[in-house]
Amino acid sequence: MNYQHSFHAGCFADVFKHWILILLLEKLQQKTTPFGVLDTHAGAGFYDLMGDNAQRTLEYEGGIGKLIKADNIPAAFQTYLNLIYACQHPGSTTSHAKEKNLRYYPGSPYIIQQFLREQDSLIACELHAETYRWLKRNLDYEKKIALHEQDAYHAMKAFLPLKEKRGLILIDPPYEIDNEFKHLAEALKIALHRFQQGIYAIWYPIKHRPPVRAFHQQLQKLAPGKVLIAEVMQRDDNDASKLNGNGMVIINPPWQLQETLTTNMPWLANYFALGDGARAEVSLM
Ligand SMILES: C[S@@+](CC[C@H](N)C(=O)[O-])C[C@H]1O[C@@H](n2cnc3c(N)ncnc32)[C@H](O)[C@@H]1O
């Protein structure tokens, strides 16, 4: 395992996935009954964008650094932005962050923690030993949060169904291994068998189309009619050596999520376009 998210924190993929993560958490909060979240690939939880790794790639400049400079950002991004602003000035949610004083970026377990109520819980897993140590340091201790230095795919067997009987499984692998899509489809088959009603959100990179298409077809067989595909292409996917776009599959999408994504993703695709073919696509399979 070589992947370290500290090189990529705040990149466009993070903006896209964390915005959708927050939309999902807001939906879960609409009912007072408890919900659980399993974050299978948690990362370190919190990142310093002025640290050596983020400064070496400067990927955040094409992601959160670009977003906060935008004029006329659609209202649907406001909760996400407020959370980013609050991270710069712990304890404050006022929107005084500008790119020049953007310093910190939250990871998925930190974001999830902000949305947990007394009755909710989070299980976060991270396999990389050093990253796991950072995760333990970066998340405030709370009884309702359980951290595990554990393999994501084992965790999906060990922790599903969630004890709350409703909730979200965020799956965000590094795609370091060639057959990650195959592992994912196999793990999802077992997971859906154990916890059919869970909301599953799976991020994936789009380099070229064939492996993505095959993955979609496998998921469609597992949960026909319940697979929401959301993709932002930053350019055409005809050069497989580049990250051309980002996708999120949401299995069992909450009510009206499709409409929110359909309305707002074209703005993202347009603002973050890197070349011909930039577009947003949302469909239910
Ligand atoms: C893309 S990063 C996660 C970022 C995080 N979800 C976020 O949004 O802030 C992927 C993480 O998965 C970890 N990882 C890789 N293989 C894993 C596995 N089999 N089980 C659990 N974690 C794994 C990596 O060490 C890395 O920290």
mmCIF file of all heavy atoms in Angstrom, residues 195-231:
data_model
loop_
_atom_site.group_PDB
_atom_site.id
_atom_site.type_symbol
_atom_site.label_atom_id
_atom_site.label_comp_id
_atom_site.label_asym_id
_atom_site.label_seq_id
_atom_site.Cartn_x
_atom_site.Cartn_y
_atom_site.Cartn_z
ATOM 1 N N PHE A 195 -27.165 -6.496 4.410
ATOM 2 C CA PHE A 195 -27.774 -5.212 4.788
ATOM 3 C C PHE A 195 -28.348 -4.582 3.526
ATOM 4 O O PHE A 195 -27.796 -3.638 2.963
ATOM 5 C CB PHE A 195 -26.696 -4.318 5.411
ATOM 6 C CG PHE A 195 -27.196 -3.059 6.043
ATOM 7 C CD1 PHE A 195 -28.323 -3.048 6.856
ATOM 8 C CD2 PHE A 195 -26.521 -1.859 5.861
ATOM 9 C CE1 PHE A 195 -28.765 -1.879 7.457
ATOM 10 C CE2 PHE A 195 -26.953 -0.679 6.461
ATOM 11 C CZ PHE A 195 -28.087 -0.696 7.259
ATOM 12 N N GLN A 196 -29.502 -5.131 3.151
ATOM 13 C CA GLN A 196 -30.106 -4.799 1.860
ATOM 14 C C GLN A 196 -30.546 -3.341 1.779
ATOM 15 O O GLN A 196 -30.504 -2.716 0.730
ATOM 16 C CB GLN A 196 -31.322 -5.714 1.684
ATOM 17 C CG GLN A 196 -31.828 -5.818 0.293
ATOM 18 C CD GLN A 196 -33.104 -6.669 0.242
ATOM 19 O OE1 GLN A 196 -33.595 -7.162 1.260
ATOM 20 N NE2 GLN A 196 -33.633 -6.833 -0.945
ATOM 21 N N GLN A 197 -31.002 -2.791 2.932
ATOM 22 C CA GLN A 197 -31.602 -1.448 2.894
ATOM 23 C C GLN A 197 -30.584 -0.318 3.063
ATOM 24 O O GLN A 197 -30.938 0.854 3.015
ATOM 25 C CB GLN A 197 -32.706 -1.323 3.955
ATOM 26 C CG GLN A 197 -32.236 -1.252 5.391
ATOM 27 C CD GLN A 197 -32.032 -2.629 6.021
ATOM 28 O OE1 GLN A 197 -31.688 -3.613 5.364
ATOM 29 N NE2 GLN A 197 -32.229 -2.702 7.331
ATOM 30 N N GLY A 198 -29.294 -0.675 3.285
ATOM 31 C CA GLY A 198 -28.279 0.367 3.489
ATOM 32 C C GLY A 198 -28.098 1.231 2.247
ATOM 33 O O GLY A 198 -28.347 0.791 1.122
ATOM 34 N N ILE A 199 -27.661 2.471 2.486
ATOM 35 C CA ILE A 199 -27.285 3.344 1.371
ATOM 36 C C ILE A 199 -25.785 3.133 1.168
ATOM 37 O O ILE A 199 -24.994 3.292 2.108
ATOM 38 C CB ILE A 199 -27.550 4.828 1.719
ATOM 39 C CG1 ILE A 199 -29.033 5.050 2.028
ATOM 40 C CG2 ILE A 199 -27.094 5.744 0.581
ATOM 41 C CD1 ILE A 199 -29.313 6.425 2.656
ATOM 42 N N TYR A 200 -25.394 2.747 -0.020
ATOM 43 C CA TYR A 200 -23.979 2.503 -0.329
ATOM 44 C C TYR A 200 -23.506 3.597 -1.277
ATOM 45 O O TYR A 200 -24.111 3.806 -2.340
ATOM 46 C CB TYR A 200 -23.804 1.136 -0.998
ATOM 47 C CG TYR A 200 -24.141 -0.026 -0.093
ATOM 48 C CD1 TYR A 200 -25.469 -0.415 0.128
ATOM 49 C CD2 TYR A 200 -23.139 -0.747 0.552
ATOM 50 C CE1 TYR A 200 -25.781 -1.479 0.971
ATOM 51 C CE2 TYR A 200 -23.444 -1.813 1.395
ATOM 52 C CZ TYR A 200 -24.762 -2.165 1.608
ATOM 53 O OH TYR A 200 -25.072 -3.215 2.443
ATOM 54 N N ALA A 201 -22.440 4.301 -0.902
ATOM 55 C CA ALA A 201 -21.876 5.341 -1.780
ATOM 56 C C ALA A 201 -20.443 4.942 -2.115
ATOM 57 O O ALA A 201 -19.602 4.804 -1.217
ATOM 58 C CB ALA A 201 -21.906 6.696 -1.082
ATOM 59 N N ILE A 202 -20.193 4.730 -3.377
ATOM 60 C CA ILE A 202 -18.879 4.221 -3.811
ATOM 61 C C ILE A 202 -18.269 5.222 -4.787
ATOM 62 O O ILE A 202 -18.843 5.475 -5.856
ATOM 63 C CB ILE A 202 -19.021 2.851 -4.514
ATOM 64 C CG1 ILE A 202 -19.798 1.886 -3.625
ATOM 65 C CG2 ILE A 202 -17.655 2.279 -4.894
ATOM 66 C CD1 ILE A 202 -21.088 1.409 -4.206
ATOM 67 N N TRP A 203 -17.112 5.775 -4.419
ATOM 68 C CA TRP A 203 -16.420 6.696 -5.341
ATOM 69 C C TRP A 203 -15.544 5.877 -6.291
ATOM 70 O O TRP A 203 -14.979 4.846 -5.896
ATOM 71 C CB TRP A 203 -15.530 7.669 -4.559
ATOM 72 C CG TRP A 203 -14.750 8.556 -5.486
ATOM 73 C CD1 TRP A 203 -15.188 9.710 -6.060
ATOM 74 C CD2 TRP A 203 -13.420 8.337 -5.994
ATOM 75 N NE1 TRP A 203 -14.213 10.217 -6.896
ATOM 76 C CE2 TRP A 203 -13.121 9.394 -6.878
ATOM 77 C CE3 TRP A 203 -12.454 7.333 -5.804
ATOM 78 C CZ2 TRP A 203 -11.904 9.496 -7.556
ATOM 79 C CZ3 TRP A 203 -11.242 7.431 -6.486
ATOM 80 C CH2 TRP A 203 -10.980 8.505 -7.343
ATOM 81 N N TYR A 204 -15.431 6.340 -7.536
ATOM 82 C CA TYR A 204 -14.502 5.679 -8.469
ATOM 83 C C TYR A 204 -13.913 6.693 -9.445
ATOM 84 O O TYR A 204 -14.551 7.687 -9.802
ATOM 85 C CB TYR A 204 -15.181 4.522 -9.220
ATOM 86 C CG TYR A 204 -16.412 4.915 -10.015
ATOM 87 C CD1 TYR A 204 -16.307 5.285 -11.358
ATOM 88 C CD2 TYR A 204 -17.675 4.922 -9.430
ATOM 89 C CE1 TYR A 204 -17.424 5.656 -12.090
ATOM 90 C CE2 TYR A 204 -18.795 5.289 -10.158
ATOM 91 C CZ TYR A 204 -18.666 5.652 -11.477
ATOM 92 O OH TYR A 204 -19.774 6.027 -12.196
ATOM 93 N N PRO A 205 -12.668 6.397 -9.882
ATOM 94 C CA PRO A 205 -12.026 7.266 -10.880
ATOM 95 C C PRO A 205 -12.462 6.843 -12.276
ATOM 96 O O PRO A 205 -12.713 5.666 -12.515
ATOM 97 C CB PRO A 205 -10.533 6.957 -10.682
ATOM 98 C CG PRO A 205 -10.511 5.537 -10.211
ATOM 99 C CD PRO A 205 -11.789 5.294 -9.444
ATOM 100 N N ILE A 206 -12.547 7.810 -13.185
ATOM 101 C CA ILE A 206 -12.857 7.470 -14.577
ATOM 102 C C ILE A 206 -11.648 7.828 -15.433
ATOM 103 O O ILE A 206 -11.330 9.006 -15.615
ATOM 104 C CB ILE A 206 -14.111 8.214 -15.082
ATOM 105 C CG1 ILE A 206 -15.288 7.949 -14.144
ATOM 106 C CG2 ILE A 206 -14.443 7.769 -16.516
ATOM 107 C CD1 ILE A 206 -16.501 8.820 -14.412
ATOM 108 N N LYS A 207 -10.955 6.802 -15.860
ATOM 109 C CA LYS A 207 -9.834 6.998 -16.785
ATOM 110 C C LYS A 207 -10.330 6.668 -18.182
ATOM 111 O O LYS A 207 -10.403 7.516 -19.040
ATOM 112 C CB LYS A 207 -8.642 6.140 -16.364
ATOM 113 C CG LYS A 207 -8.077 6.618 -15.025
ATOM 114 C CD LYS A 207 -6.846 5.863 -14.615
ATOM 115 C CE LYS A 207 -6.202 6.527 -13.405
ATOM 116 N NZ LYS A 207 -5.045 5.788 -12.926
ATOM 117 N N HIS A 208 -10.708 5.420 -18.389
ATOM 118 C CA HIS A 208 -11.392 5.085 -19.635
ATOM 119 C C HIS A 208 -12.632 4.259 -19.303
ATOM 120 O O HIS A 208 -12.803 3.761 -18.200
ATOM 121 C CB HIS A 208 -10.472 4.411 -20.655
ATOM 122 C CG HIS A 208 -9.903 3.106 -20.200
ATOM 123 N ND1 HIS A 208 -9.662 2.065 -21.043
ATOM 124 C CD2 HIS A 208 -9.540 2.686 -18.975
ATOM 125 C CE1 HIS A 208 -9.160 1.062 -20.354
ATOM 126 N NE2 HIS A 208 -9.077 1.407 -19.121
ATOM 127 N N ARG A 209 -13.484 4.136 -20.291
ATOM 128 C CA ARG A 209 -14.854 3.701 -20.033
ATOM 129 C C ARG A 209 -15.046 2.193 -19.752
ATOM 130 O O ARG A 209 -15.830 1.839 -18.872
ATOM 131 C CB ARG A 209 -15.700 4.155 -21.243
ATOM 132 C CG ARG A 209 -17.191 4.107 -21.132
ATOM 133 C CD ARG A 209 -17.828 4.682 -19.906
ATOM 134 N NE ARG A 209 -17.588 6.058 -19.573
ATOM 135 C CZ ARG A 209 -18.098 6.633 -18.476
ATOM 136 N NH1 ARG A 209 -18.867 5.965 -17.635
ATOM 137 N NH2 ARG A 209 -17.816 7.892 -18.209
ATOM 138 N N PRO A 210 -14.329 1.268 -20.447
ATOM 139 C CA PRO A 210 -14.706 -0.157 -20.322
ATOM 140 C C PRO A 210 -14.781 -0.707 -18.886
ATOM 141 O O PRO A 210 -15.784 -1.344 -18.536
ATOM 142 C CB PRO A 210 -13.660 -0.877 -21.176
ATOM 143 C CG PRO A 210 -13.289 0.142 -22.212
ATOM 144 C CD PRO A 210 -13.311 1.474 -21.499
ATOM 145 N N PRO A 211 -13.768 -0.491 -18.012
ATOM 146 C CA PRO A 211 -13.907 -1.065 -16.662
ATOM 147 C C PRO A 211 -15.068 -0.458 -15.877
ATOM 148 O O PRO A 211 -15.715 -1.143 -15.069
ATOM 149 C CB PRO A 211 -12.571 -0.746 -15.986
ATOM 150 C CG PRO A 211 -11.917 0.294 -16.811
ATOM 151 C CD PRO A 211 -12.472 0.208 -18.191
ATOM 152 N N VAL A 212 -15.348 0.817 -16.126
ATOM 153 C CA VAL A 212 -16.445 1.486 -15.420
ATOM 154 C C VAL A 212 -17.781 0.892 -15.882
ATOM 155 O O VAL A 212 -18.660 0.583 -15.068
ATOM 156 C CB VAL A 212 -16.407 3.015 -15.687
ATOM 157 C CG1 VAL A 212 -17.623 3.704 -15.105
ATOM 158 C CG2 VAL A 212 -15.126 3.618 -15.122
ATOM 159 N N ARG A 213 -17.899 0.697 -17.199
ATOM 160 C CA ARG A 213 -19.144 0.138 -17.741
ATOM 161 C C ARG A 213 -19.386 -1.268 -17.170
ATOM 162 O O ARG A 213 -20.492 -1.594 -16.749
ATOM 163 C CB ARG A 213 -19.061 0.094 -19.275
ATOM 164 C CG ARG A 213 -20.412 -0.143 -19.927
ATOM 165 C CD ARG A 213 -20.334 -0.135 -21.448
ATOM 166 N NE ARG A 213 -19.941 1.140 -22.003
ATOM 167 C CZ ARG A 213 -18.887 1.325 -22.810
ATOM 168 N NH1 ARG A 213 -18.118 0.324 -23.161
ATOM 169 N NH2 ARG A 213 -18.593 2.534 -23.276
ATOM 170 N N ALA A 214 -18.323 -2.067 -17.106
ATOM 171 C CA ALA A 214 -18.462 -3.437 -16.579
ATOM 172 C C ALA A 214 -18.897 -3.394 -15.107
ATOM 173 O O ALA A 214 -19.744 -4.190 -14.672
ATOM 174 C CB ALA A 214 -17.143 -4.185 -16.735
ATOM 175 N N PHE A 215 -18.339 -2.465 -14.345
ATOM 176 C CA PHE A 215 -18.693 -2.313 -12.930
ATOM 177 C C PHE A 215 -20.175 -1.956 -12.798
ATOM 178 O O PHE A 215 -20.907 -2.562 -12.000
ATOM 179 C CB PHE A 215 -17.797 -1.224 -12.329
ATOM 180 C CG PHE A 215 -18.031 -0.943 -10.868
ATOM 181 C CD1 PHE A 215 -18.004 -1.960 -9.926
ATOM 182 C CD2 PHE A 215 -18.257 0.363 -10.425
ATOM 183 C CE1 PHE A 215 -18.211 -1.689 -8.576
ATOM 184 C CE2 PHE A 215 -18.456 0.644 -9.085
ATOM 185 C CZ PHE A 215 -18.434 -0.380 -8.158
ATOM 186 N N HIS A 216 -20.629 -1.006 -13.584
ATOM 187 C CA HIS A 216 -22.046 -0.606 -13.541
ATOM 188 C C HIS A 216 -22.951 -1.798 -13.835
ATOM 189 O O HIS A 216 -23.981 -1.996 -13.172
ATOM 190 C CB HIS A 216 -22.332 0.497 -14.573
ATOM 191 C CG HIS A 216 -21.719 1.810 -14.218
ATOM 192 N ND1 HIS A 216 -21.720 2.886 -15.063
ATOM 193 C CD2 HIS A 216 -21.080 2.231 -13.090
ATOM 194 C CE1 HIS A 216 -21.110 3.918 -14.496
ATOM 195 N NE2 HIS A 216 -20.713 3.541 -13.305
ATOM 196 N N GLN A 217 -22.560 -2.589 -14.836
ATOM 197 C CA GLN A 217 -23.414 -3.734 -15.214
ATOM 198 C C GLN A 217 -23.515 -4.739 -14.070
ATOM 199 O O GLN A 217 -24.578 -5.290 -13.800
ATOM 200 C CB GLN A 217 -22.865 -4.400 -16.483
ATOM 201 C CG GLN A 217 -23.187 -3.578 -17.730
ATOM 202 C CD GLN A 217 -22.360 -3.975 -18.948
ATOM 203 O OE1 GLN A 217 -21.455 -4.802 -18.849
ATOM 204 N NE2 GLN A 217 -22.665 -3.362 -20.084
ATOM 205 N N GLN A 218 -22.383 -4.933 -13.360
ATOM 206 C CA GLN A 218 -22.425 -5.863 -12.218
ATOM 207 C C GLN A 218 -23.341 -5.341 -11.121
ATOM 208 O O GLN A 218 -24.115 -6.092 -10.526
ATOM 209 C CB GLN A 218 -21.008 -6.060 -11.672
ATOM 210 C CG GLN A 218 -20.176 -6.992 -12.521
ATOM 211 C CD GLN A 218 -18.735 -6.985 -12.061
ATOM 212 O OE1 GLN A 218 -18.104 -5.924 -11.974
ATOM 213 N NE2 GLN A 218 -18.211 -8.147 -11.753
ATOM 214 N N LEU A 219 -23.261 -4.031 -10.869
ATOM 215 C CA LEU A 219 -24.090 -3.453 -9.801
ATOM 216 C C LEU A 219 -25.571 -3.485 -10.168
ATOM 217 O O LEU A 219 -26.434 -3.719 -9.310
ATOM 218 C CB LEU A 219 -23.672 -2.008 -9.513
ATOM 219 C CG LEU A 219 -22.255 -1.827 -8.980
ATOM 220 C CD1 LEU A 219 -22.031 -0.386 -8.573
ATOM 221 C CD2 LEU A 219 -21.984 -2.744 -7.798
ATOM 222 N N GLN A 220 -25.838 -3.263 -11.434
ATOM 223 C CA GLN A 220 -27.236 -3.277 -11.886
ATOM 224 C C GLN A 220 -27.874 -4.641 -11.618
ATOM 225 O O GLN A 220 -29.043 -4.732 -11.264
ATOM 226 C CB GLN A 220 -27.270 -2.951 -13.377
ATOM 227 C CG GLN A 220 -28.647 -2.589 -13.878
ATOM 228 C CD GLN A 220 -28.629 -2.280 -15.358
ATOM 229 O OE1 GLN A 220 -27.675 -2.621 -16.067
ATOM 230 N NE2 GLN A 220 -29.678 -1.641 -15.836
ATOM 231 N N LYS A 221 -27.058 -5.698 -11.742
ATOM 232 C CA LYS A 221 -27.591 -7.046 -11.476
ATOM 233 C C LYS A 221 -27.847 -7.229 -9.978
ATOM 234 O O LYS A 221 -28.758 -7.938 -9.580
ATOM 235 C CB LYS A 221 -26.583 -8.110 -11.942
ATOM 236 C CG LYS A 221 -26.614 -8.313 -13.438
ATOM 237 C CD LYS A 221 -25.742 -9.505 -13.810
ATOM 238 C CE LYS A 221 -25.285 -9.374 -15.250
ATOM 239 N NZ LYS A 221 -23.915 -9.809 -15.473
ATOM 240 N N LEU A 222 -27.017 -6.579 -9.145
ATOM 241 C CA LEU A 222 -27.152 -6.749 -7.689
ATOM 242 C C LEU A 222 -28.359 -6.002 -7.122
ATOM 243 O O LEU A 222 -28.988 -6.462 -6.175
ATOM 244 C CB LEU A 222 -25.894 -6.240 -6.974
ATOM 245 C CG LEU A 222 -24.592 -7.001 -7.201
ATOM 246 C CD1 LEU A 222 -23.466 -6.346 -6.415
ATOM 247 C CD2 LEU A 222 -24.750 -8.459 -6.777
ATOM 248 N N ALA A 223 -28.652 -4.827 -7.684
ATOM 249 C CA ALA A 223 -29.740 -3.997 -7.127
ATOM 250 C C ALA A 223 -30.468 -3.289 -8.277
ATOM 251 O O ALA A 223 -30.370 -2.062 -8.405
ATOM 252 C CB ALA A 223 -29.159 -2.992 -6.131
ATOM 253 N N PRO A 224 -31.186 -4.058 -9.088
ATOM 254 C CA PRO A 224 -31.805 -3.439 -10.266
ATOM 255 C C PRO A 224 -32.749 -2.298 -9.905
ATOM 256 O O PRO A 224 -33.541 -2.415 -8.968
ATOM 257 C CB PRO A 224 -32.566 -4.603 -10.932
ATOM 258 C CG PRO A 224 -32.421 -5.783 -10.047
ATOM 259 C CD PRO A 224 -31.448 -5.493 -8.966
ATOM 260 N N GLY A 225 -32.620 -1.192 -10.636
ATOM 261 C CA GLY A 225 -33.498 -0.037 -10.416
ATOM 262 C C GLY A 225 -33.120 0.813 -9.220
ATOM 263 O O GLY A 225 -33.768 1.812 -8.931
ATOM 264 N N LYS A 226 -32.052 0.429 -8.501
ATOM 265 C CA LYS A 226 -31.699 1.152 -7.267
ATOM 266 C C LYS A 226 -30.274 1.681 -7.298
ATOM 267 O O LYS A 226 -29.672 1.950 -6.259
ATOM 268 C CB LYS A 226 -31.851 0.222 -6.063
ATOM 269 C CG LYS A 226 -33.291 -0.197 -5.833
ATOM 270 C CD LYS A 226 -33.376 -1.166 -4.694
ATOM 271 C CE LYS A 226 -34.822 -1.586 -4.480
ATOM 272 N NZ LYS A 226 -34.942 -2.721 -3.582
ATOM 273 N N VAL A 227 -29.700 1.768 -8.494
ATOM 274 C CA VAL A 227 -28.303 2.190 -8.616
ATOM 275 C C VAL A 227 -28.254 3.558 -9.290
ATOM 276 O O VAL A 227 -28.550 3.686 -10.469
ATOM 277 C CB VAL A 227 -27.496 1.149 -9.434
ATOM 278 C CG1 VAL A 227 -26.048 1.598 -9.573
ATOM 279 C CG2 VAL A 227 -27.582 -0.227 -8.804
ATOM 280 N N LEU A 228 -27.904 4.570 -8.500
ATOM 281 C CA LEU A 228 -27.810 5.927 -9.053
ATOM 282 C C LEU A 228 -26.349 6.184 -9.434
ATOM 283 O O LEU A 228 -25.444 6.010 -8.613
ATOM 284 C CB LEU A 228 -28.267 6.945 -8.006
ATOM 285 C CG LEU A 228 -28.290 8.408 -8.435
ATOM 286 C CD1 LEU A 228 -29.292 8.635 -9.567
ATOM 287 C CD2 LEU A 228 -28.636 9.306 -7.249
ATOM 288 N N ILE A 229 -26.152 6.565 -10.684
ATOM 289 C CA ILE A 229 -24.800 6.831 -11.185
ATOM 290 C C ILE A 229 -24.653 8.349 -11.326
ATOM 291 O O ILE A 229 -25.469 8.981 -12.000
ATOM 292 C CB ILE A 229 -24.597 6.225 -12.595
ATOM 293 C CG1 ILE A 229 -25.019 4.756 -12.645
ATOM 294 C CG2 ILE A 229 -23.175 6.454 -13.092
ATOM 295 C CD1 ILE A 229 -24.054 3.811 -12.062
ATOM 296 N N ALA A 230 -23.630 8.907 -10.715
ATOM 297 C CA ALA A 230 -23.382 10.360 -10.840
ATOM 298 C C ALA A 230 -21.936 10.531 -11.286
ATOM 299 O O ALA A 230 -21.010 10.081 -10.610
ATOM 300 C CB ALA A 230 -23.612 11.041 -9.495
ATOM 301 N N GLU A 231 -21.748 11.141 -12.437
ATOM 302 C CA GLU A 231 -20.382 11.305 -12.961
ATOM 303 C C GLU A 231 -20.143 12.743 -13.407
ATOM 304 O O GLU A 231 -20.992 13.340 -14.066
ATOM 305 C CB GLU A 231 -20.153 10.368 -14.163
ATOM 306 C CG GLU A 231 -20.176 8.899 -13.769
ATOM 307 C CD GLU A 231 -19.804 7.972 -14.928
ATOM 308 O OE1 GLU A 231 -19.751 8.445 -16.089
ATOM 309 O OE2 GLU A 231 -19.563 6.781 -14.653
#
